[in-house]
Amino acid sequence: MEAMNAKAPGLYLVPIEFVDEAERQADHFGRDNLGAKGNHSAVSYPLQRVVTWFGAHPEA
């Protein structure tokens, strides 16, 4: 919701895409099977990119 009211809502498109990618990966591997065969990494990597992005963009 904050992104919709932000001064520059386009700024948040990058982290939102990372979250969308994590959701797609979770759906692909099965949300109940994320602990198997490295599936967790496929989901956690895009989420780590969100954290990194916000660290690099403190104005967000």
Side-chain angles (χ1 to χ4, degrees), residues 2-47:
E2 293 285 328
M4 295 168 68
N5 297 324
K7 291 180 183 175
L11 180 67
Y12 294 97
L13 292 176
V14 173
I16 289 171
E17 181 56 35
F18 293 149
V19 172
D20 289 345
E21 176 63 22
E23 293 241 334
R24 285 190 296 273
Q25 292 291 351
D27 290 340
H28 174 75
F29 289 107
R31 293 174 186 265
D32 295 334
N33 195 31
L34 292 178
K37 301 177 188 170
N39 296 347
H40 178 314
S41 296
V43 174
S44 68
Y45 178 68
L47 297 177

Side-chain angles (χ1 to χ4, degrees), residues 53-60:
W53 187 91
F54 277 103
H57 298 86
E59 70 280 0

